[in-house]
Each structure stands twice: as C-alpha cells, then as structure tokens.
C-alpha cells in the first residue's frame, strides 16, 4: 500500500484503558519520536475517564492525539474505523497492547505493509482452539467442544482442566475431578462459548517473553509464575519472578520450545508472551499471546535489565531491530493475600501505594545498581476503594501487589516477603 508521506507520521495503538495505564511509556515513546499516537479502545474502557486523563497535561496519556472506542474487535469494524486515519496520516506502525485487538492489529499491519506478527500468527495467537490444532506437538492432550456439542463433553482422564476458549485473565479456568464436576463446570459457561477440556499438566509454570524482528528472536526472557492452584480448583496468578531462578538447562529448554513455536507460526515482528508448564523437564505450552505481557511483567524486566521494554516494542513496529539487554538483577511481583470484605484502604511503610485504577497510570520506576540491596520498587492496587474482595477465581479479584528488585544471587522469596508483610489491608468484613 502506498504511504501518505506528505501527511503527519503516526502509530496506531489498539488497547484498553487498563493496558494503556500499564504501558503508558508506549504513548510517551511514540510521541517523543515525533510520531502521532492514535488509539483504538474496546467497549470495556471507561471512555469518559480516559478522555479526562488525555485532557490532563500532567498525565502520561495526554500525549494521545485521538482515541476511538469500538463496540467489538471485529476486523471489518476496526478497519472501517481507521480508514480516515490511513488517509490523513502516514501510518508507520501498528501496536497491540491488549488481548482483544490482536487479530485486527495483526491483519491491519500486514495490509499496510508494516512490520507485525502476520495475520495468520495473530489469528492463531488469539484463538485457543487454533493453538491446540496448529501447535499440537507442543501442548497437552485436549478436546474442544462447540456450543452445540457441549452436552457430549467428556474427559478420558481425571483430574482435568476445563476452560472457555475465548476468555482472558484465567476467567472460567477450573480443575475438575470427575464427570459430575465437569457437568457442573459446563453449566456455568455462556451458551455460545466453545469449551476446551485438557489434560492436567503438573509442574512449575513459566512464561517466555520474546522480542521478534522479521522472524528472528532477538531477545528472550523467562518469568516464573505462581498461582493459587495448590489451595483450590482455580489457576489465578499471584506472583511473577523475572528472570526465573531456575537451572540454565530448564531456561534454555523453555526458550528453545518458544522459538520453535514462533517458527511454526511464521511469526513476523513484535513481542510474544507464551505460558508453559515444565513437566519432567519438558516444556508444555499452555497458550501464547501476540501482545505485551500482563500484570507487572514489563516493569519486572525493566528493573531486571535496567531498561524499559516499551521502546523496543515501538522499534519492532517501525521495523527497527531493538537492542535489549540481558538481566543484571532480579525482580518479583507478589499479590497480597486478603480476606473477604470491602476494601477500604491499603497502607505500607515501605513505599507509597499507587491506586492504578483510579490514577489511570502505573508508577514510573527506575532501575538501580546490580548489587544494590533488595528494595520495594512499587506497591499497586488494581481495584478502587470500596471494591468487594472475595475468592480468587480469576485475576480480576486480586487486591494489592508488591514489586521488589534484588541482586541475582539473593533469595527472591525471603527478600520479597519482608515487604509483603509490611502491607496492611483495611477491609470491612461486615460488608462481605
């Protein structure tokens, strides 16, 4: 497609308010390169709140030049909504920082002749059933059941895992022990949802973040993940450690498996976030996403390597090979345990508490020397004051989290626990 070289240069970012708040450095970096940030958001974004942030000159999201909210991420609707941008601007990059727009962002970048994952890779990364079919050699044993065939769903082995194919944030993912629990789980899903019934893979969980430039992996990092699965039937993430403190052979195996998967997908350019179980030394793919990772993982890699990762994402979207360093330090995020009730306040003597949902941006952290002692870099609350806390069935119910960075040779668990224990949750239990 011919470029509109006489028009202002721009980058289109497809996201939502939560991801924009987390990755506000994307917007800042685009603007500081002399490019116009144009943003598409989906229906879950509070557009009035986002526009308030854009109107606040002190807010990092104020650099957004234009924002449009769409009712769905359908490819044709997205393309129709940006057609004037394509005419009025010299669009030089397309970035997806939220899960729902992976498919249309990949297709748009390809149609404009811009770097991106490729429409095929983006489509597979957005569809859990397609991932199981295309990447079957890398994943667990599984069966998918379309909505009209859910009454025939069964499992050849128990316990197993049941998950809705189209959701995010671990929503609806549950472990079942027998046919009765399987039937009860199926009844809780929406009538139009396709369901996956999968082998329960045991072993520690990791994610592999990769920067890919024209089909070549130029940087990889392994993050250890912690979930609440040992205390119940759910798989909510309650912690991350970057880089993972594991033997080099295990890290190499995870990176090799991820690289093979990206080759199988014919992945072009961008960042990927793949989740694995390490079962008897063998990486088993849980799922792969063609977007920036969630929670504080990008912040963890910033603290570990000394450099924010968002400029590298902009580089990839513009066709520039990024130079991203190896970690010289380790960083950890841990979510604080809570009891049921209404969240009134969060306090800590270790660090100022950031209410990221209210502020509309994540705190900006700075790296320190590799051998500096462990420190609390951030304490964040994703919910608003007054939110009702309950069981952790998915990621949306988590309260406060602590981010700590420390030397590579220090024990991450003991160092982090010191700061987690200093967090006080003020919870009105009578409101539960």
């Amino acid at each position: 497609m011919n470029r509109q070289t006489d028009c202002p240069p721009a980058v289109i970012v497809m996201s939502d308010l939560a991801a924009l708040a987390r990755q506000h450095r994307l917007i800042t970096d685009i603007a500081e390169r002399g490019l116009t940030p144009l943003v598409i958001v989906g229906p879950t974004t509070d557009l009035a709140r986002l526009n308030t942030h854009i109107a606040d000159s002190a807010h990092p999201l104020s650099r957004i030049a234009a924002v449009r909210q769409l009712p769905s991420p359908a490819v044709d609707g997205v393309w129709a909504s940006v057609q004037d941008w394509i005419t009025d601007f010299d669009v030089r990059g397309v970035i997806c920082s939220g899960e729902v727009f992976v498919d249309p962002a990949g297709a748009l970048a390809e149609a404009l002749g811009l770097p991106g994952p490729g429409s095929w890779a983006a489509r597979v990364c957005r569809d859990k059933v397609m991932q199981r079919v295309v990447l079957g050699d890398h994943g667990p044993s599984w069966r998918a059941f379309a909505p009209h065939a859910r009454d025939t769903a069964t499992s050849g082995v128990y316990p197993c895992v049941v998950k809705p194919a189209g959701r995010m944030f671990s929503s609806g993912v549950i472990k079942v022990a027998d046919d009765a629990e399987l039937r009860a789980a199926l009844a809780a899903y929406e009538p139009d949802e396709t369901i996956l019934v999968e082998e329960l893979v045991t072993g520690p969980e990791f994610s592999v973040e990769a920067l890919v430039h024209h089909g070549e992996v130029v940087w990889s990092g392994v993050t250890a993940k912690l979930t609440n699965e040992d205390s119940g039937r759910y798989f909510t993430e309650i912690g991350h450690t970057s880089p993972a403190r594991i033997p080099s052979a295990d890290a190499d195996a995870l990176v090799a498996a991820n690289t093979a998967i990206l080759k199988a997908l014919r992945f072009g350019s961008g960042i990927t976030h793949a989740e694995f179980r390490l079962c008897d030394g063998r990486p088993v793919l849980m799922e792969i996403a063609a977007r920036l990772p969630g929670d504080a993982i990008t912040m963890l890699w910033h603290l570990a390597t000394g450099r924010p990762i968002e400029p590298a994402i902009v580089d990839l979207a513009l066709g520039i090979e990024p130079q991203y360093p190896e970690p010289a330090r380790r960083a950890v995020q841990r979510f604080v345990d809570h009891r049921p009730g209404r969240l009134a306040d969060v306090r800590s003597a270790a660090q100022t508490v950031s209410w990221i949902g209210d502020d509309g941006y994540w705190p900006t952290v700075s790296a320190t020397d590799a051998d500096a002692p462990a420190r609390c870099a951030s304490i964040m609350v994703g919910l608003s004051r007054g939110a009702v806390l309950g069981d952790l069935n998915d990621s949306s119910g988590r309260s406060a989290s602590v981010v700590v960075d420390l030397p590579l040779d220090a024990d991450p668990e003991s160092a982090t626990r010191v700061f987690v224990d200093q967090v006080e949750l003020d919870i009105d239990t009578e409101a539960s």
Side-chain angles (χ1 to χ4, degrees):
M1 184 171 182
N2 293 329
R3 299 285 180 85
Q4 305 298 314
T5 54
D6 57 339
C7 298
V11 173
I12 296 175
V13 178
M14 300 188 193
S15 189
D16 55 55
L17 179 52
L20 286 169
R22 181 171 57 242
Q23 257 78 59
H24 57 80
R25 286 179 184 268
L26 277 178
I27 301 301
T28 302
D29 188 77
I30 291 168
E32 288 180 348
R33 298 184 192 219
L35 305 171
T36 304
L38 306 172
V39 173
I40 293 288
V41 296
T44 62
T45 289
D46 183 336
L47 186 61
R49 175 172 286 187
L50 175 55
N51 281 326
T52 298
H53 298 324
I54 293 172
D56 179 1
S57 61
H59 198 285
L61 297 183
S62 65
R63 309 293 290 273
I64 294 173
V67 61
R68 289 177 180 169
Q69 185 173 42
L70 306 186
S72 85
V75 172
D76 55 353
V78 173
W79 285 29
S81 299
V82 301
Q83 58 185 315
D84 60 324
W85 284 353
I86 294 171
T87 301
D88 298 340
F89 293 90
D90 174 17
V91 178
R92 297 186 181 180
V94 178
I95 297 173
C96 180
S97 71
E99 179 69 22
V100 298
F101 287 108
V102 165
D103 197 359
L108 181 63
E110 184 172 292
L112 296 178
L114 299 171
S119 57
W120 167 250
R123 185 72 188 92
V124 175
C125 286
R126 186 63 185 94
D127 190 302
K128 292 182 176 67
V129 177
M130 290 183 71
Q131 288 182 37
R132 290 294 179 246
V133 173
V134 175
L135 304 171
D137 292 344
H138 298 276
S141 60
W142 62 281
R143 285 287 307 278
F145 298 91
H148 69 275
R150 273 179 24 195
D151 58 349
T152 68
T154 185
S155 176
V157 61
Y158 290 102
C160 64
V161 177
V162 185
K163 61 177 69 171
R167 295 196 201 176
M168 303 173 287
F169 312 127
S170 303
S171 174
V173 181
I174 188 170
K175 178 170 58 179
V176 299
D178 51 37
D179 279 331
E181 288 190 359
L182 174 60
R183 303 255 71 82
L186 293 173
Y189 298 122
E190 296 297 326
D192 61 345
E193 291 189 284
T194 295
I195 304 301
L196 279 163
V197 179
E198 298 182 349
E199 164 195 10
L200 175 65
V201 180
T202 58
E205 188 170 0
F206 302 90
S207 65
V208 178
E209 287 74 52
L211 302 178
V212 190
H213 177 66
H214 295 319
E216 296 298 322
V217 177
V218 296
W219 180 89
S220 294
V222 177
T223 297
K225 309 181 84 64
L226 183 65
T227 74
N228 66 346
E229 63 194 83
D230 290 339
S231 60
R233 300 170 60 196
Y234 297 94
F235 299 86
T236 304
E237 294 175 354
I238 55 175
H240 308 278
T241 303
S242 305
R245 198 183 192 202
I246 55 175
S248 59
D250 288 343
D252 291 344
L254 288 161
V255 170
N258 190 63
T259 301
I261 287 167
L262 294 172
K263 291 293 185 186
L265 291 174
R266 304 189 299 276
F267 194 93
S269 295
I271 187 172
T272 59
H273 169 73
E275 297 179 352
F276 294 88
R277 292 276 183 173
L278 199 58
C279 183
D280 297 326
R282 182 177 73 90
V284 180
L285 177 69
M286 297 294 99
E287 60 182 78
I288 183 169
R291 54 159 173 79
L292 287 91
D295 288 343
I297 294 177
T298 52
M299 181 185 289
L300 300 185
W301 284 119
H302 178 186
L303 295 170
T305 65
R307 188 181 302 175
I309 203 168
E310 288 85 355
I313 308 307
V314 180
D315 280 345
L316 290 169
L318 298 175
I320 302 166
E321 180 176 347
Q323 302 297 318
Y324 198 67
E326 293 302 311
R329 201 164 163 81
R330 201 179 313 278
V332 181
Q333 180 184 29
R334 288 288 182 272
F335 285 87
V336 179
D337 292 335
H338 65 250
R339 60 189 185 278
R342 191 176 299 277
L343 181 64
D345 201 5
V346 179
R347 295 180 293 272
S348 175
Q351 179 68 259
T352 300
V353 176
S354 298
W355 292 78
I356 56 179
D358 295 339
D359 297 340
Y361 67 92
W362 285 44
T364 301
V365 298
S366 299
T368 189
D369 295 336
D371 58 354
R375 61 168 186 165
C376 180
S378 180
I379 299 174
M380 297 175 289
V381 186
L383 302 175
S384 297
R385 289 178 177 85
V388 176
L389 303 176
D391 295 335
L392 284 185
N393 298 343
D394 58 51
S395 300
S396 65
R398 300 171 303 184
S399 55
S401 72
V402 176
V403 173
V404 175
D405 64 329
L406 59 148
L408 282 171
D409 59 358
D411 175 32
E413 298 306 320
S414 59
T416 304
R417 176 51 54 188
V418 170
F419 298 107
V420 171
D421 288 344
Q422 295 182 49
V423 177
E424 299 178 22
L425 301 184
D426 184 358
I427 296 175
D428 179 5
T429 56
E430 295 183 359
S432 62

